[in-house]
Amino acid sequence: MRIPCPICGERDRREFYYQGAAVALERPDPEAADDAWDAYVHLRDNPAGLTRDLWYHEAGCAAWIVVTRDTVNHEILDAELAGEAGR
Amino acid sequence: MRFSGWKVFTEGLTGNRGWAPHWRDPEPKPEYDIVIIGGGGHGLSTAYYLARDHGLTNVAVLEKGYIGGGNVGRNTTIVRANYFLPGNSEFYSHSLKLWEGLSEDLNYNVMHSQRGLINLFHSDGQRDAFARRGNAMINQGDDAVLLDRDGVRRMLPYLDFDNGRFPIHGGLYHPRGGTARHDAVAWGYARGADRRGVDIIQNCEVTGIDIDGGRVTGVQTSRGPIRAGKVAMVAAGRSGQVAAMAGMRLPVESHVLQAFVTEGLKPVIDHVVSFGMGHFYVSQSDKGGLVFGGDLDFYASYAQRGNLPMAEHVMEAGMTLMPMIGKARVLRSWGGIMDMTPDGSPIIDRTDIDGLYLNCGWCYGGFKAVPASGHCLAHLLATGRPHAAAAGFRLGRFRDGVGLMDEEGTGAQHNLH
Ligand SMILES: Cc1cc2nc3c(=O)[nH]c(=O)nc-3n(C[C@H](O)[C@H](O)[C@H](O)COP(=O)(O)OP(=O)(O)OC[C@H]3O[C@@H](n4cnc5c(N)ncnc54)[C@H](O)[C@@H]3O)c2cc1C
Ligand SMILES: [Zn+2]
């Protein structure tokens, strides 16, 4: 699997650290109820199909990247910098 | 049809023409007391123990594919009870005891082979951790022997002991650990449940879960609607999607785990051996293939195939540990989809929906759990109370933070397991 880093271009999967579903971009308010925090930290949509994951270009430019990917065939459709990815 | 030495003998003399199908192929009935979604190891064993222990036989197991086509037939067949944390340790101990009588109980040879399992360690810190684990195993009533370097050398002379980076300091030996024939486990439970009246329905995909006023009333399937008093979701890697049909999100992310097997060789590896630093484990199947694997690929996947980086990593670890393995040709590799929970431990519990039960989160270790998982879920379904051995496997533990079982000690976070 090759991941297209918006800064470095297409790179081998080995250069990246996988964080999981891109929920980290939707952090609840610190005062939010337990349910909101449980959903954020633990519960996942876990789709068979299109998903948005967070990857860290650890052995590259050190950017956090939101990758749009198909979990059924490993095809990568899009990659954008996490800082620029909307909510 | 019962298996016996006499039956095998007479069939051998008469051209093996008297063997009958091992289970029926019934049409789904319009209604059951209990419907189990998923005909993997866990779903089938649940049905078997519902019938055997609780006399509940108006039960159907609905499988979207064929029996044994999921992870129960894709794993590397290791069976052990070397867990450490309360909650896990008594459960896997319970499971191993069930394994030890399984072939006889099912009248089906699951080829449970207690060839012994050795987890190697490579540092002083790891030795201490393994000594502690061994003590916990003995306390839970199982067996463990701490081997020093020479002890390991006597048993596994073919390892590279002086590897510069990962010298072998010793190993934790679990004599009752070993392997079992995975397909036979599925087939044996299917046959055992079928013989007691349970309907095993293949090619029947559940496409919806019917809920009325907070209570489950049945399921929609590719073969029509089926009403049910209780529904158990036992879909392993597909748990997330099955639960979504009931409007639930689970603390589960599905990942791919690969396995590899070589061409058949003469007996060369007598035990199950795992390499504590390089994420590699290996055993030899009864057919002669070296069966080995390592870590998850570590990203969400439903592809049932892996990627090259992990394949290379596993091969490298194997070569580091036992250079002789380089002479064997890899015959094939495959992937299975694991339902990973944030703490790496499973869930057997009721849900907030009346009559709807959940069995999932077996991660990469659920094959050894097949007997106890079914035994405990059947107990919960039949009596309404959790079985003592599985009382820690609660769905709510992530939300309230009480009773997390982070066996690996890496933290209760999705991408770490
Ligand atoms: C490569 C690999 C190696 C492993 N090695 C080991 C090991 O050495 N030791 C160990 O203990 N564990 C191991 N495991 C883990 C173990 O295999 C799994 O945890 C366990 O098999 C999962 O439970 P199961 O057998 O019920 O799953 P499955 O056999 O996957 O059963 C789930 C079933 O649900 C069905 N299903 C899904 N959705 C639906 C639906 N909508 N309707 C109807 N049916 C549905 C699926 O078709 C499937 O048959 C390994 C796994 C893999 C992939
Ligand atoms: Zn980059």
Side-chain angles (χ1 to χ4, degrees):
Chain A
M1 198 156 80
R2 292 176 71 77
I3 297 177
C5 172
I7 294 174
C8 313
E10 199 179 88
R11 294 300 180 90
D12 192 283
R13 178 256 177 277
R14 290 172 182 83
E15 294 186 8
F16 297 83
Y17 171 81
Y18 171 81
Q19 171 75 38
V23 286
L25 303 176
E26 291 141 39
R27 196 178 173 82
D29 184 83
E31 303 307 320
D34 292 357
D35 281 342
W37 279 100
D38 182 36
Y40 168 72
V41 179
H42 305 121
L43 304 183
R44 295 291 177 261
D45 289 340
N46 197 26
L50 282 195
T51 184
R52 291 171 82 232
D53 323 305
L54 263 184
W55 297 76
Y56 175 55
H57 198 180
E58 192 173 26
C61 64
W64 281 95
I65 299 163
V66 177
V67 175
T68 306
R69 198 168 56 86
D70 191 328
T71 58
V72 175
N73 59 18
H74 296 166
E75 193 186 341
I76 292 176
L77 295 108
D78 188 37
E80 53 181 336
L81 294 176
E84 288 165 13
R87 294 198 158 224
Chain B
M1 178 194 66
R2 266 191 78 76
F3 290 104
S4 65
W6 176 248
K7 176 79 178 157
V8 171
F9 177 70
T10 52
E11 284 299 327
L13 291 180
T14 55
N16 285 301
R17 281 188 293 268
W19 299 114
H22 291 190
W23 55 85
R24 297 165 296 130
D25 183 22
E27 282 300 311
K29 289 193 279 186
E31 177 158 12
Y32 291 93
D33 293 339
I34 299 176
V35 156
I36 295 166
I37 307 174
H42 294 242
L44 293 166
S45 69
T46 302
Y48 174 75
Y49 292 113
L50 277 172
R52 191 197 80 171
D53 295 356
H54 306 282
L56 295 172
T57 55
N58 187 20
V59 173
V61 178
L62 308 183
E63 166 54 48
K64 74 171 179 182
Y66 60 92
I67 297 305
N71 289 332
V72 69
R74 285 174 177 262
N75 62 73
T76 41
T77 78
I78 299 168
V79 172
R80 57 187 166 89
N82 58 352
Y83 283 69
F84 175 66
L85 296 180
N88 275 336
S89 68
E90 63 265 34
F91 173 83
Y92 290 101
S93 179
H94 180 54
S95 206
L96 185 54
K97 290 184 190 101
L98 289 171
W99 274 107
E100 286 171 335
L102 195 59
S103 289
E104 223 163 302
D105 182 25
L106 295 175
N107 177 239
Y108 207 95
N109 187 1
V110 300
M111 296 165 74
H112 181 219
S113 154
Q114 294 181 292
R115 57 190 69 179
L117 178 141
I118 298 157
N119 295 134
L120 301 170
F121 52 79
H122 313 270
S123 68
D124 291 344
Q126 242 188 352
R127 174 193 289 114
D128 293 350
F130 276 18
R132 208 167 152 226
R133 180 176 291 269
N135 287 337
M137 289 159 66
I138 291 166
N139 285 342
Q140 84 199 10
D142 295 313
D143 59 343
V145 183
L146 197 69
L147 299 174
D148 62 10
R149 189 180 157 89
D150 287 338
V152 175
R153 203 191 279 275
R154 272 193 295 277
M155 290 175 75
L156 314 174
Y158 48 81
L159 300 181
D160 179 5
F161 283 81
D162 299 315
N163 181 285
R165 190 141 173 241
F166 302 122
I168 294 168
H169 286 203
L172 185 62
Y173 175 38
H174 173 33
R176 281 165 67 227
T179 61
R181 172 74 205 273
H182 47 13
D183 299 306
V185 173
W187 299 334
Y189 273 116
R191 172 173 168 273
D194 173 87
R195 279 159 52 116
R196 286 170 172 77
V198 170
D199 284 355
I200 311 284
I201 301 171
Q202 305 185 65
N203 299 311
C204 181
E205 178 169 4
V206 173
T207 54
I209 296 178
D210 300 330
I211 297 159
D212 188 13
R215 176 153 228 324
V216 73
T217 57
V219 294
Q220 300 292 322
T221 80
S222 54
R223 294 171 69 173
I226 300 175
R227 289 191 303 279
K230 290 177 182 168
V231 173
M233 305 184 282
V234 196
R238 294 272 168 178
S239 295
Q241 274 126 55
V242 171
M245 294 175 200
M248 291 175 64
R249 285 171 91 218
L250 296 182
V252 163
E253 192 170 274
S254 293
H255 285 228
V256 62
L257 177 65
Q258 302 191 59
F260 308 85
V261 63
T262 69
E263 61 194 332
L265 304 170
K266 287 185 179 173
V268 52
I269 296 175
D270 296 334
H271 311 84
V272 181
V273 182
S274 88
F275 181 13
M277 294 304 268
H279 307 292
F280 174 84
Y281 60 88
V282 62
S283 66
Q284 187 165 17
S285 82
D286 292 340
K287 254 167 40 182
L290 306 183
V291 180
F292 58 99
D295 260 330
L296 303 173
D297 277 26
F298 277 120
Y299 52 87
S301 171
Y302 285 91
Q304 293 208 341
R305 66 175 168 77
N307 244 305
L308 201 53
M310 193 51 74
E312 281 183 3
H313 180 77
V314 170
M315 305 292 166
E316 283 165 10
M319 287 295 291
T320 305
L321 180 65
M322 46 179 83
M324 72 165 187
I325 205 173
K327 290 188 178 167
R329 277 175 298 200
V330 176
L331 199 63
R332 59 201 161 87
S333 69
W334 65 92
I337 305 305
M338 321 281 53
D339 43 333
M340 304 302 299
T341 55
D343 67 352
S345 292
I347 297 164
I348 302 179
D349 207 347
R350 58 177 78 250
T351 68
D352 288 341
I353 298 160
D354 243 3
L356 186 65
Y357 295 77
L358 178 63
N359 175 316
C360 73
W362 294 99
C363 303
Y364 36 75
F367 177 63
K368 69 181 81 64
V370 162
S373 164
H375 195 244
C376 294
L377 179 58
H379 184 277
L380 177 65
L381 282 163
T383 67
R385 292 186 314 276
H387 189 284
F393 296 166
R394 292 169 41 246
L395 173 59
R397 68 180 183 269
F398 303 102
R399 187 180 184 283
D400 58 29
V402 179
L404 292 174
M405 282 169 281
D406 175 13
E407 192 74 33
E408 298 250 291
T410 51
Q413 188 178 312
H414 276 292
N415 65 324
L416 302 179
H417 290 274

